[in-house]
């Protein structure tokens, strides 16, 4: 039995390939603040960072580190990582008796599923949970009755304890990296202090990521946020904001030891959920203390002109704005996805962004089995209208200003759409094992359909507007859309490919229509 927190060691394992995992960073900072020795190991797969297994050599190095730790927490960002989580956990359990606890949003949504693979899971936020679990072990008491614990008894029965309320974000310390005890595993264990390039490489790809707001104002049917809002319905505000001073202190600290920070990615679900007064305060402090180009996520509903005006007035440079359209169909958005949709407002917002020359990435969901051909063709029609709006003012800059991100619709356990798809037999009972364990949302290179054609035509419109506009107009007719998709698409691709050699713009840098459509 331990006598103090300083002698108690907690190891956090993050399977994500990005070292800016917000949950792990926050939990580590909280536990260090309580006096524990905490180490974090970032463990993406070999070959493929999501689906790749861990080599025996890297597992052995992890084992050598883990055997001296009293509690091991393993963070799972998505179901795609479960096979690797099983591999790591099975390997460690062979010789290590310390409790191994899985945590992450997917587990909160569907804990019973994950208890098939591991004996302990965290049912909610992990900061106070791991502190309480560790304290029980230190004092020699059982931890099986603590809030947020799900576990499997010796008899194989599943027990889910009470889910605790949200933690007060204002009491959390800044989520600084503990660079002496953050590691990656190559041929040996390497700390961030020993190799600053680890953080520099991650930062160069997507900027310094920071997560200042927990929660989302919406509850889309395909998203885990709708599950979390049900789980935490008695916990108060579904949106919780970190103290603004903590936000800037973390960024200032990051700038002090990461030499190449050129961009900040404020990674909350919707930057513009803030009030105009809050954005004003943010903009003033950000320009004064950080003054780096800013990337944000946004929604059309919350991104108003006055809020955008405030940022521009104070000289905050928006390097990229990521926004979800999901579908050009009002019915699909409203009845299937449960999302706000106003086509005129969206076009107005996009037009404003084009005018201000703010680059945007627009998320679109394809391969939705609930959509009819008529509803799918509405997306083609929407993109056709969008081309008409932006062509004359920004054609030469279109490639820089707008990108479409094509996501195949994935069904995640616990969400409304997953249950609906199972009930309607649109996905098989083994969907998790046969789909989620094997691929992510992006479309495989060899999987093409008419939606790929639609997005690809739009994607190349900045080179040859007239053919793109004409093709989108033709495809937007539901009967034509249906005809191409069911009868002639396999023949259309080669024809379209040959045409593209004569029509400037459909081939660039040796990249053809047989390549990836999505970016």
């Amino acid at each position: 039995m331990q006598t103090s927190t300083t002698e108690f060691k907690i190891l956090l394992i993050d399977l994500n390939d990005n070292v800016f995992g917000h949950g792990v960073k926050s939990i580590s900072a909280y536990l260090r603040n309580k006096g524990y020795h905490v180490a974090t190991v970032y463990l993406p797969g070999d070959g493929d960072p999501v689906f790749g297994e861990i080599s025996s050599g890297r597992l052995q190095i992890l084992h050598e580190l883990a055997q001296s730790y009293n509690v091991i927490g393993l963070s799972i960002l998505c179901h795609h990582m479960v096979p690797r989580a099983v591999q790591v956990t099975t390997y460690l359990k062979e010789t290590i008796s310390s409790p191994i606890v899985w945590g992450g949003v997917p587990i909160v949504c569907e804990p019973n599923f994950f208890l098939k693979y591991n004996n302990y899971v965290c049912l909610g936020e992990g900061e106070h949970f791991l502190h309480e679990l560790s304290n029980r072990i230190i004092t020699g008491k059982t931890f099986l009755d603590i809030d947020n614990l799900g576990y499997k008894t010796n008899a194989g029965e599943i027990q889910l304890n009470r889910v605790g309320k949200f933690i007060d974000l204002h009491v959390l310390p800044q989520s600084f990296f503990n660079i002496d005890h953050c590691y990656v595993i190559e041929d040996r264990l390497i700390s961030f202090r020993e190799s600053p390039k680890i953080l520099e490489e991650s930062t160069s790809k997507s900027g310094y990521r920071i997560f200042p707001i927990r929660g989302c104002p919406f509850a889309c049917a395909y998203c885990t946020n709708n599950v979390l809002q049900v789980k935490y319905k008695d916990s108060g505000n579904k949106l919780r904001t970190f103290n603004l001073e903590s936000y800037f202190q973390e960024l200032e600290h990051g700038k002090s030891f990461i030499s190449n920070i050129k961009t900040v990615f404020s990674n909350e679900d919707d930057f513009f959920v803030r009030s105009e007064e809050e954005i004003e305060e943010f903009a003033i402090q950000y320009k004064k203390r950080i003054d780096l180009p800013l990337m944000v996520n946004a929604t059309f509903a919350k991104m108003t002109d006055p809020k955008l005006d405030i940022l521009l007035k104070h000289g905050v440079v928006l390097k990229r704005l990521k926004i979800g359209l999901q579908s050009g169909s009002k019915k699909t958005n409203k009845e299937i996805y449960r999302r706000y949709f106003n086509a005129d407002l969206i076009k107005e917002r996009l037009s404003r962004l084009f005018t201000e020359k703010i680059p945007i990435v627009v998320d679109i969901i394809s391969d939705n089995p609930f959509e009819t051909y008529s509803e799918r063709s509405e997306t083609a029609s929407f993109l056709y209208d969008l081309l008409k709006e932006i062509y004359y003012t920004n054609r030469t800059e279109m490639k820089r200003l707008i990108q479409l991100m094509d996501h195949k619709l994935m069904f995640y356990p616990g969400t409304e759409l997953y249950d609906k798809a199972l009930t309607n037999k649109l996905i098989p009972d083994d969907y998790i094992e046969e789909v989620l364990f094997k691929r992510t949302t992006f479309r495989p290179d060899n999987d093409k359909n008419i939606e790929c054609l639609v997005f690809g035509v739009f994607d190349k419109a900045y080179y040859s507007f007239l053919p793109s506009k004409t093709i989108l107009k033709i495809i937007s007719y539901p009967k034509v859309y249906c005809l191409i998709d069911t009868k002639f698409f396999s023949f259309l691709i080669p024809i379209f490919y040959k045409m593209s050699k004569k029509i400037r713009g459909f081939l660039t840098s040796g990249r053809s229509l047989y390549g990836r459509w999505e970016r």
Side-chain angles (χ1 to χ4, degrees):
M1 183 174 70
Q2 302 292 317
T3 58
S4 69
T5 58
T6 56
E7 299 175 13
F8 196 88
K9 300 175 71 176
I10 302 170
L11 176 64
L12 303 177
I13 301 173
D14 191 337
L15 300 180
N16 193 15
D17 64 331
N18 189 300
V19 300
F20 288 96
H22 309 301
V24 168
K25 267 180 65 196
S26 177
I27 292 170
S28 174
Y30 180 83
L31 294 174
R32 294 198 312 270
N33 187 256
K34 293 293 183 180
Y36 298 100
H37 172 90
V38 185
T40 302
V41 174
Y42 295 91
L43 203 65
D46 289 298
D48 188 308
V50 178
F51 297 105
E53 290 196 336
I54 307 301
S55 68
S56 58
R58 292 176 72 208
L59 283 174
Q60 181 58 38
I61 294 170
L62 176 65
H63 174 267
E64 291 171 2
L65 174 70
Q67 61 185 339
S68 65
Y69 282 77
N70 305 97
V71 170
I72 299 171
L74 194 149
S75 174
I76 297 177
L77 179 67
C78 56
H79 285 78
H80 313 305
M81 297 176 177
V82 172
R84 192 161 75 250
V86 171
Q87 181 202 15
V88 171
T89 302
T90 301
Y91 187 88
L92 294 179
K93 277 183 176 180
E94 289 180 357
T95 55
I96 293 176
S97 59
S98 300
I100 300 175
V101 185
W102 288 10
V105 170
I107 294 167
V108 176
C109 294
E110 195 74 8
N112 293 57
F113 173 80
F114 291 90
L115 284 167
K116 294 190 300 184
Y117 301 102
N118 191 47
N119 292 334
Y120 303 109
V121 300
C122 177
L123 306 176
E125 292 180 306
E127 288 90 350
H128 183 70
F129 164 78
L130 278 176
H131 169 46
E132 180 65 18
L133 185 149
S134 301
N135 186 60
R136 293 291 187 91
I137 296 175
I138 289 172
T139 57
K141 300 177 182 178
T142 180
F143 59 78
L144 294 181
D145 61 339
I146 65 174
D147 287 353
N148 281 356
L149 177 69
Y151 64 95
K152 188 163 48 182
T153 67
N154 292 333
E157 297 178 350
I158 290 177
Q159 176 67 43
L160 302 180
N161 294 351
R162 187 177 76 95
V163 177
K165 290 190 175 183
F166 284 144
I167 194 167
D168 181 2
L169 300 188
H170 289 116
V171 307
L172 294 181
Q174 290 87 359
S175 295
F176 297 156
F177 284 108
N178 183 16
I179 58 176
D180 290 307
H181 298 288
C182 283
Y183 304 96
V184 296
I185 300 176
E186 295 180 2
D187 57 343
R188 59 187 178 85
L189 200 66
I190 303 174
S191 74
F192 287 7
R193 182 179 293 280
E194 179 185 354
S195 180
K197 72 175 184 179
I198 297 168
L199 279 171
E200 291 171 359
E201 288 176 354
S202 188
T203 302
S204 67
K205 294 176 183 177
S206 55
Y208 186 99
R209 295 191 177 197
I210 189 167
F211 197 68
I213 299 177
R214 289 188 185 179
C216 180
F218 308 103
C220 303
Y222 54 77
C223 182
T224 53
N225 275 313
N226 69 28
V227 187
L228 297 180
Q229 290 183 18
V230 173
K231 296 263 185 180
Y232 289 101
K233 62 180 182 298
D234 298 325
S235 295
N237 194 348
K238 60 185 178 183
L239 287 175
R240 293 169 297 145
T241 306
F242 283 86
N243 184 285
L244 194 59
E245 182 60 26
S246 295
Y247 177 93
F248 289 117
Q249 286 182 12
E250 180 180 342
L251 290 179
E252 289 169 337
H253 182 257
K255 288 178 68 177
S256 71
F257 70 89
I258 304 176
S259 61
N260 69 330
I261 296 180
K262 296 182 174 60
T263 308
V264 172
F265 186 3
S266 198
N267 206 19
E268 62 271 73
D269 286 308
D270 186 353
F271 177 88
F272 292 96
V273 295
R274 297 169 172 87
S275 67
E276 292 177 21
E277 292 75 15
E278 290 170 330
I279 289 181
E280 182 96 42
E281 181 183 4
F282 170 90
I284 292 171
Q285 290 296 319
Y286 189 86
K287 183 64 178 178
K288 177 181 178 181
R289 300 170 63 171
I290 309 301
D291 199 20
L292 289 171
L294 182 66
M295 299 189 296
V296 302
N297 298 315
T299 64
F300 292 107
K302 299 292 183 179
M303 186 191 66
T304 64
D305 283 339
K307 291 178 181 179
L308 199 58
D309 289 338
I310 292 170
L311 294 174
L312 298 176
K313 177 184 70 175
H314 290 288
V316 176
V317 176
L318 288 174
K319 182 179 180 179
R320 191 190 73 189
L321 193 150
K322 194 168 186 288
I323 198 160
L325 171 66
Q326 314 312 0
S327 172
S329 165
K330 180 177 181 179
K331 182 178 179 181
T332 296
N333 276 294
K334 183 178 180 180
E335 298 183 12
I336 299 176
Y337 297 152
R338 306 214 184 285
R339 289 177 58 86
Y340 170 85
F341 182 82
N342 181 319
D344 292 336
L345 178 64
I346 291 172
K347 291 169 188 173
E348 180 183 311
R349 296 275 194 266
L350 289 174
S351 178
R352 172 71 195 281
L353 293 171
F354 295 143
T355 300
E356 300 295 346
K357 298 186 177 181
I358 298 172
I360 59 173
V361 174
V362 179
D363 283 335
I364 296 185
I365 296 176
S366 62
D367 286 9
N368 178 354
F370 293 101
E371 277 193 309
T372 65
Y373 282 116
S374 177
E375 288 151 9
R376 290 188 182 187
S377 69
E378 288 182 56
T379 297
S381 180
F382 182 91
L383 294 176
Y384 166 75
D385 290 343
L386 191 57
L387 276 185
K388 292 193 300 182
E389 293 285 335
I390 65 178
Y391 172 64
Y392 292 105
T393 55
N394 284 295
R395 177 185 172 189
T396 57
E397 292 189 300
M398 183 177 167
K399 181 178 180 180
R400 182 182 72 85
L401 290 178
I402 183 168
Q403 298 178 18
L404 298 184
M405 188 70 79
D406 171 22
H407 302 267
K408 289 171 69 74
L409 179 60
M410 305 291 280
F411 300 95
Y412 292 100
T415 62
E416 177 184 337
L417 216 53
Y418 175 84
D419 295 336
K420 188 175 180 180
L422 271 182
T423 301
N424 288 275
K425 300 190 182 304
L426 295 175
I427 57 175
D429 292 337
D430 60 357
Y431 178 83
I432 300 172
E433 292 81 2
E434 292 302 315
V435 178
L436 296 185
F437 285 2
K438 297 181 178 180
R439 68 169 177 81
T440 62
T441 178
F442 288 108
R443 182 186 303 280
D445 284 343
N446 61 356
D447 183 10
K448 304 299 179 192
N449 66 7
I450 189 171
E451 288 173 302
C452 293
L453 177 61
V454 170
F455 304 147
V457 169
F458 183 89
D459 189 48
K460 297 295 184 287
Y462 46 82
Y463 281 98
S464 185
F465 170 72
L466 183 58
S468 299
K469 174 185 162 187
T470 303
I471 291 168
L472 279 178
K473 180 62 175 176
I474 294 171
I475 295 176
S476 67
Y477 292 105
K479 290 183 179 180
V480 176
Y481 192 103
C482 177
L483 182 66
I484 294 174
D485 196 36
T486 56
K487 299 292 184 182
F488 301 122
F489 184 68
S490 60
F491 302 103
L492 183 63
I493 281 289
I495 295 171
F496 191 69
Y497 175 73
K498 291 178 182 178
M499 288 173 56
S500 68
K501 292 182 177 180
K502 299 179 179 179
I503 302 175
R504 185 170 73 92
F506 291 104
L507 294 177
T508 61
S509 304
R511 192 176 158 209
S512 77
L513 294 170
Y514 297 106
R516 291 178 68 92
W517 286 103
E518 78 279 351
R519 293 175 183 261

